[in-house]
Amino acid sequence: MEKIYEDLSSIEAKINKLNDFISLSLKRDKISNELKRLLQQANKVSSLMSHGHKVMQKELNDVQADCDDAMKRMRDHQTEMMDFIIEEKKRQLQKDPVTDIRKLKSHRLNVRKGKPLRDSDVDGATNSDIKLLGSSLLRLQLNQGTPKIRISDYKESPLIKRRLNNAAIKFSDFDVNITKQQFQSIPKYMLGRETFTDINNFLEDVIIKCFNEKYELLPRPRNVVLRNINDLELWKTYNDQETLVSGGYKFITSVDIARKLEKSILDRKTLNRITILRHVGILQEYRVKQLICYIWVAHSRFNTDV
């Protein structure tokens, strides 16, 4: 008897499954159409989101590029304004020589103390005072961080004759950073796990500092460099290397970078970062006399036939 009940229960379960299958089969066309419609809508939403992301990324890149360009032009204009002020004061001095000693003393005192100058302070300044004013403006550039100094201006300034304490000169010749657009153009196999911040920090803290330190020391007179034995050795090395690359190109060597990183040789990570900087057009490698030179090409085109 129990066997009969079990068989009846099994048959009833199978009948219920058949009923469910028949019910679903009858609704199959309607469900299939609904699923197709949902799939089409999902694909459309995905396409719109992808397009929106590309547009937003392009806008961000454009804003970043415009911001970088505006900052660079602002620094250039500040430098030009300072040059114009100094030249204008020189022209005024040629027409109006010194007549008031008290103005001259006040002028010298204010410049040395770093106080703002009034027009009356400069009216009676001599050429030597203008040089003092120029060097003071350059020192203000160093202390305030902007604008940076051109190498050509630095060579003509009194700063090359004395060592600045706790201040490294920054040259506008090397005023470059990597934009988001440039970073996104770097191939994934080359980039690895490097981030946008990692590459820009390496550029600013290692490469640009190497260039700034070299071209701060290189133009100095020998009698100034003699005060520091370490500076003297570097000064000799830099001057000996000047003939390696012709055409007036600014360059550093792999030895300079290793010295900055306090390493005997460059490791794979550093070499890969340098490769990235070469890819975005900031550096170019040039081998000469078993020495690897890295030439600054961010603002120019380097001719490999030098």
Side-chain angles (χ1 to χ4, degrees), residues 256-269:
D256 298 328
I257 300 174
R259 181 174 55 252
K260 186 66 180 175
L261 295 172
E262 298 181 351
K263 297 179 179 180
S264 56
I265 58 173
L266 300 182
D267 55 25
R268 178 180 294 182
K269 184 176 184 179

Side-chain angles (χ1 to χ4, degrees), residues 86-99 122-127 130:
I86 294 175
E87 292 300 324
E88 186 64 23
K89 294 304 178 183
K90 286 182 180 179
R91 284 193 293 270
Q92 291 178 7
L93 285 174
Q94 292 175 357
K95 298 178 181 179
D96 187 15
V98 175
T99 57
V122 188
D123 286 343
T126 62
N127 286 332
I130 287 297

Side-chain angles (χ1 to χ4, degrees), residues 114-219:
K115 294 181 180 179
L117 293 177
R118 298 167 298 180
D119 291 340
S120 58
D121 293 331
V122 188
D123 286 343
T126 62
N127 286 332
S128 61
D129 295 312
I130 287 297
K131 291 181 180 178
L132 178 60
L133 174 61
S135 62
S136 299
L137 289 173
L138 290 175
R139 284 198 296 273
L140 286 175
Q141 293 178 37
L142 300 178
N143 295 332
Q144 296 177 359
T146 65
K148 299 178 181 179
I149 308 172
R150 293 190 296 263
I151 294 178
S152 57
D153 293 336
Y154 169 69
K155 290 179 179 180
E156 301 298 327
S157 75
L159 291 176
I160 63 170
K161 297 181 180 179
R162 54 182 177 271
R163 191 75 169 175
L164 295 176
N165 294 327
N166 301 323
I169 295 179
K170 296 181 179 181
F171 296 110
S172 60
D173 306 65
F174 311 122
D175 186 16
V176 166
N177 62 347
I178 298 174
T179 65
K180 285 282 188 180
Q181 189 172 6
Q182 287 176 319
F183 183 78
Q184 291 170 358
S185 71
I186 302 170
K188 295 294 183 182
Y189 75 88
M190 183 186 299
L191 192 59
R193 296 183 179 180
E194 300 285 2
T195 65
F196 176 74
T197 303
D198 291 337
I199 302 303
N200 266 311
N201 286 345
F202 175 75
L203 173 63
E204 180 70 26
D205 298 336
V206 179
I207 300 301
I208 292 180
K209 279 189 176 181
C210 282
F211 276 95
N212 283 332
E213 290 171 3
K214 174 178 180 178
Y215 289 96
E216 176 189 351
L217 182 62
L218 185 61

Side-chain angles (χ1 to χ4, degrees), residues 30-45:
K30 184 178 180 180
I31 294 174
S32 176
N33 292 333
E34 287 293 326
L35 288 175
K36 288 180 180 178
R37 186 174 63 83
L38 288 175
L39 182 61
Q40 290 174 352
Q41 290 178 349
N43 291 334
K44 184 178 180 180
V45 170

Side-chain angles (χ1 to χ4, degrees), residues 218 233-244 289:
L218 185 61
E233 292 300 321
L234 274 177
W235 182 83
K236 290 179 179 178
T237 301
Y238 290 154
N239 277 276
D240 291 341
Q241 292 174 350
E242 278 298 278
T243 57
L244 297 179
K289 295 184 178 180

